[in-house]
């Protein structure tokens, strides 16, 4: 049992959780702690998050403010769609050509400045220390690296971010340091987030992309702006639910809970196979309903699937002891990469402010490439680009990520 008088922090990393707790103990609020944990998670879990990826943040403050900070990545201004399609067909979905605009730093800096109480330099310190002193390898992280060993070894620089001595997977508990990332984070702490979008870090990324056939350019970094949106609001029994709106998949959370609410509270509360069966099937139904909607929001969101009457119709398909056949689910959408994980952070502070934060590189270890000297992998979000080129930004949403939400 974990207990605290300062609040609670939940992440998938001991180092990231410790960073959030440290900030709470220093008097920071939930946003301060969540941002510190997010930066540290990018160090300790380089496969699922980091400066090269994207971030969604859902905030609920004790004074009644609810906001979704949308860190969706816009596609670079100039993309060769024919070459990108050929890369996808060849199943070579890694490399510089699939890198889109990294938004995590801008999103976290915006969130901190607007809703936090501490400076960017202050919340970066735990991440800097973790990168310098090292983090402990986990069985899960080693397993992912082993699965992508061929692609990681193909990069002369990426291998040194993930592997011991650039060659070995290591063993659980081994400590892996990332001095390049420590230096990058120190530069950001000193010069601010702008250095990655208009400064020296942007110059380094631009040069790397030009040299290696990537489409991302400094102009794409410079024009990026963080967006805010109103969360989806719903209820589940006696709880108020806030979920991330389009382009996030908060609608899936709403519909899943609507379906579950048609069943008795006793069934949902019981620790039983029947309960698990209903929860799995409700999730499958909601995912099927939302799968047909394009990730970049090409068509208006179909709000009717969030209606309780629709939930009752879908719940009627759930039968004890029987998995719903694919043919009855309806649209199943494109192949999902749900197994390719995102990273999640939940924080609540002593005053009751709460944050739910989701980060991703779009695929495990993203594009499997990194700009030499910077210490972090780039995302692979262009592999999800399916639309014709246009002069306005196309915002991409990684397929298979679970939506940020809170009750």
């Amino acid at each position: 049992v974990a207990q605290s008088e300062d609040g609670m922090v939940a992440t998938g990393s001991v180092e990231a959780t410790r960073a959030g707790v440290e900030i709470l103990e220093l008097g920071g609020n939930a946003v301060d702690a969540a941002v510190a944990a997010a930066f540290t998670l990018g160090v300790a879990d380089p496969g699922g998050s980091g400066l090269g990826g994207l971030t969604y943040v859902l905030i609920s403050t004790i004074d009644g403010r609810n906001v979704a900070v949308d860190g969706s990545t816009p596609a670079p201004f100039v993309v060769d769609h024919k070459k990108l399609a050929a890369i996808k067909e060849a199943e070579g979905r890694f490399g510089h050509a699939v890198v889109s605009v990294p938004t995590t730093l801008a999103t976290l800096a915006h969130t901190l400045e607007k809703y936090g109480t501490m400076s960017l330099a202050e919340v970066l310190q735990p991440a800097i220390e973790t990168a310098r002193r090292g983090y402990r390898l986990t069985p899960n992280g080693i397993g992912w690296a082993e699965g992508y060993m061929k692609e990681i070894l193909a990069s002369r620089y990426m291998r040194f971010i993930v592997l011991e001595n650039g060659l070995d997977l290591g063993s659980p508990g081994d400590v892996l340091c990332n001095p390049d990332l420590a230096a990058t984070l120190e530069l950001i702490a000193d010069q601010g987030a702008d250095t990655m979008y208009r400064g020296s870090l942007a110059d380094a990324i631009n040069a790397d992309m030009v040299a290696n056939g990537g489409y991302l350019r400094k102009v794409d970094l410079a024009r990026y702006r963080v967006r805010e949106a109103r969360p989806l609001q719903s209820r589940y029994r006696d709880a108020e639910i806030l979920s991330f709106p389009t382009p996030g998949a908060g609608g899936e959370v709403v519909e899943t809970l609507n379906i579950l609410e048609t069943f008795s509270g006793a069934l949902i509360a019981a620790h039983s196979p029947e309960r698990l069966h209903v929860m799995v099937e409700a999730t499958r139904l909601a995912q099927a309903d939302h799968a047909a909607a394009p990730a970049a929001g090409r068509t208006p969101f179909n709000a009717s699937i969030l209606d309780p009457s629709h939930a009752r119709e879908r719940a009627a398909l759930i039968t004890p002891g029987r998995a719903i056949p694919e043919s009855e689910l309806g649209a199943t959408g494109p192949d999902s990469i749900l197994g390719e994980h995102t990273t999640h952070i939940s924080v609540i502070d002593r005053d009751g402010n709460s944050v739910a934060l989701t980060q991703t590189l779009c695929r495990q270890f993203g594009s499997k490439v990194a700009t030499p000297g910077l210490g972090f992998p780039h995302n692979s979000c262009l592999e999800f680009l399916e639309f014709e080129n246009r002069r306005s930004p196309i915002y991409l949403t990684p397929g298979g990520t679970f939506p940020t939400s809170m009750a």
Side-chain angles (χ1 to χ4, degrees):
V1 177
Q3 296 178 326
S4 172
E5 296 180 358
D6 295 304
M8 295 298 290
V9 180
T11 82
S13 155
V14 171
E15 293 85 358
T17 298
R18 185 182 298 123
V21 170
E22 177 183 327
I23 294 299
L24 288 180
E25 291 177 343
L26 289 174
N29 67 10
V31 170
D32 300 320
V35 171
F39 280 126
T40 306
L41 199 58
V43 178
D45 182 14
S49 62
L51 297 178
L54 59 149
T55 296
Y56 299 107
V57 188
L58 193 61
I59 304 169
S60 181
T61 66
I62 195 65
D63 60 5
R65 290 180 296 169
N66 300 320
V67 63
V69 184
D70 182 358
S72 299
T73 172
F77 192 71
V78 177
V79 174
D80 189 322
H81 290 252
K82 291 184 178 179
K83 289 185 178 180
L84 199 59
I87 289 173
K88 294 179 183 181
E89 291 175 4
E91 295 297 322
R93 299 184 178 188
F94 63 96
H96 291 76
V98 297
V99 179
S100 188
V101 179
T103 68
T104 285
L105 177 56
T107 303
L108 294 178
H110 169 92
T111 302
L112 180 69
E113 181 178 4
K114 194 165 182 181
Y115 302 101
T117 65
M118 302 176 73
S119 69
L120 183 61
E122 288 175 312
V123 300
L124 277 168
Q125 288 310 304
I128 293 170
E129 289 301 310
T130 301
R132 182 184 295 118
R133 297 180 180 179
Y135 64 93
R136 294 194 179 277
L137 297 179
T138 65
N140 186 56
I142 293 171
W144 279 115
E146 184 176 18
Y148 281 115
M149 193 70 166
K150 180 181 177 181
E151 292 84 355
I152 292 170
L153 288 174
S155 170
R156 294 181 180 179
Y157 179 64
M158 176 73 180
R159 58 169 63 190
F160 290 99
I161 297 175
V162 179
L163 306 175
E164 290 186 348
N165 303 314
L167 294 172
D168 302 322
L169 289 167
S171 301
D174 287 355
V175 176
L176 189 64
C177 301
N178 191 336
D180 284 354
L181 182 53
T184 295
L185 294 170
E186 287 174 336
L187 182 65
I188 293 168
D190 181 57
Q191 299 185 5
D194 208 46
T195 187
M196 185 162 169
Y197 296 91
R198 296 173 183 82
S200 60
L201 295 181
D203 290 333
I205 293 171
N206 185 89
D208 181 35
M209 294 295 158
V210 170
N212 292 284
Y215 301 113
L216 179 63
R217 295 292 183 270
K218 188 175 181 179
V219 65
D220 300 306
L221 295 166
R223 70 174 179 160
Y224 179 68
R225 298 292 184 274
V226 180
R227 303 185 298 179
E228 291 191 0
R230 181 179 300 174
L232 286 177
Q233 292 185 270
S234 61
R235 296 198 66 81
Y236 174 70
R237 303 186 195 274
D238 295 329
E240 180 184 359
I241 306 298
L242 300 178
S243 301
F244 212 95
T246 303
E252 287 186 26
V253 172
V254 175
E255 184 181 0
T256 300
L257 294 176
N258 284 347
I259 293 172
L260 292 177
E261 194 164 13
T262 67
F263 294 85
S264 71
L267 172 65
I268 300 303
H271 293 285
S272 66
E274 291 76 18
R275 167 185 181 258
L276 293 176
H277 175 73
V278 168
M279 293 180 72
V280 168
E281 296 294 70
T283 302
R284 292 180 67 212
L285 288 165
Q287 287 179 341
D289 282 345
H290 289 258
R298 183 166 46 175
T299 60
F301 177 70
N302 182 7
S304 65
I305 60 178
L306 303 185
D307 190 275
S309 61
H310 177 78
R312 289 191 291 272
E313 293 177 5
R314 297 299 265 167
L317 296 175
I318 301 177
T319 304
R322 167 185 175 269
I324 303 172
E326 293 287 336
S327 59
E328 294 182 28
L329 280 176
T332 56
D335 291 339
S336 172
I337 61 164
L338 191 59
E340 302 277 356
H341 85 172
T342 55
T343 53
H344 308 284
I345 296 170
S346 297
V347 180
I348 185 167
D349 63 26
R350 65 186 67 80
D351 297 319
N353 302 300
S354 53
V355 176
L357 185 151
T358 296
Q359 298 191 119
T360 186
L361 296 176
C362 292
R363 190 176 285 275
Q364 193 73 7
F365 298 107
S367 58
K368 321 300 185 292
V369 297
T371 297
L374 300 192
F376 60 86
H378 289 295
N379 68 74
S380 63
C381 293
L382 279 187
E383 68 171 288
F384 301 101
L385 183 62
E386 301 290 352
F387 305 138
E388 296 180 359
N389 202 2
R390 60 187 76 175
R391 299 194 66 85
S392 59
I394 305 171
Y395 284 84
L396 307 171
T397 301
T401 60
F402 196 76
T404 300
S405 62
M406 64 174 71

